[in-house]
Amino acid sequence: LEFVDATEEATSSGLGGYEVTIKTAAQRALHSGTVQLSQAVIESEEQITISEGGRTVNFRTIKGANVEQNLNELDLAIKSAGLDLELVRPEAKGTDGNLPQNITLRHKQFGNDHEFQVASNTPGLLSAQADVPTLVQNGVDVAGEIAGEESTGHGQVLTGGPGAGVAEGIRVRYTGVALIVNLFLIPIY
């Protein structure tokens, strides 16, 4: 937990700080296919389409290349297009590059404002239906209280709302992943 800033409306906490209660940790939008990318899918020249932030990647699997090589190329295509997404992969060291794998994509930004779309020829590889885009918007904003007052979350930042007593305008960032209640004391001067 870290103090970000405070507006002039915020009331100083003194040395004791304010209690911050985190009810929900922020999460990034995440999507995993239910069907694995296999050599058979690759050999059929699967079309994968990923869109985020007005940018799109159209990737066709490379016949003759194995699963690991195709995932490497997909990862490069995502980065080259400037999508704010990452291909989430298990540690590849010492694994067989031919083994089928699920494709998992995660937004780089936290919160419910960040979304992306995926589509694939093979149902379940990325989209539920063949060639029908699936909208992924399951990111979550942090939720909680500052000084016992309801606050508004945006991504990982929790802000004391307008009209709140002492917490108005106080902004803190919670980077933890715990989904349980957490208590912290943050001095605001």
Side-chain angles (χ1 to χ4, degrees), residues 90-165:
E91 180 61 44
K93 216 172 202 165
T95 60
D96 183 349
N98 295 310
L99 290 176
Q101 293 185 39
N102 290 81
I103 298 175
T104 300
L105 296 165
R106 179 173 56 202
H107 206 286
K108 291 182 180 178
Q109 305 303 318
F110 285 83
N112 64 14
D113 285 347
H114 306 286
E115 61 188 36
F116 57 96
Q117 284 191 3
V118 294
S120 55
N121 294 133
T122 301
L125 185 66
L126 276 176
S127 55
Q129 298 174 31
D131 303 316
V132 176
T134 296
L135 179 62
V136 180
Q137 51 184 169
N138 57 2
V140 176
D141 289 325
V142 65
E145 298 176 346
I146 300 173
E149 300 170 354
E150 275 304 316
S151 300
T152 304
H154 187 269
Q156 294 179 309
V157 176
L158 190 63
T159 304

Side-chain angles (χ1 to χ4, degrees), residues 8-64:
E8 57 276 356
E9 286 84 11
T11 303
S12 172
S13 68
L15 294 176
Y18 288 130
E19 186 177 273
V20 177
T21 304
I22 302 298
K23 297 178 180 177
T24 305
Q27 296 177 28
R28 297 181 274 180
L30 176 77
H31 181 75
S32 291
T34 57
V35 171
Q36 292 187 321
L37 178 64
S38 64
Q39 203 59 47
V41 172
I42 290 168
E43 295 305 318
S44 70
E45 295 185 280
E46 178 74 19
Q47 175 69 41
I48 296 171
T49 304
I50 305 167
S51 300
E52 184 278 328
R55 296 180 177 93
T56 300
V57 166
N58 287 304
F59 178 80
R60 185 170 301 277
T61 56
I62 305 160
K63 284 177 80 167

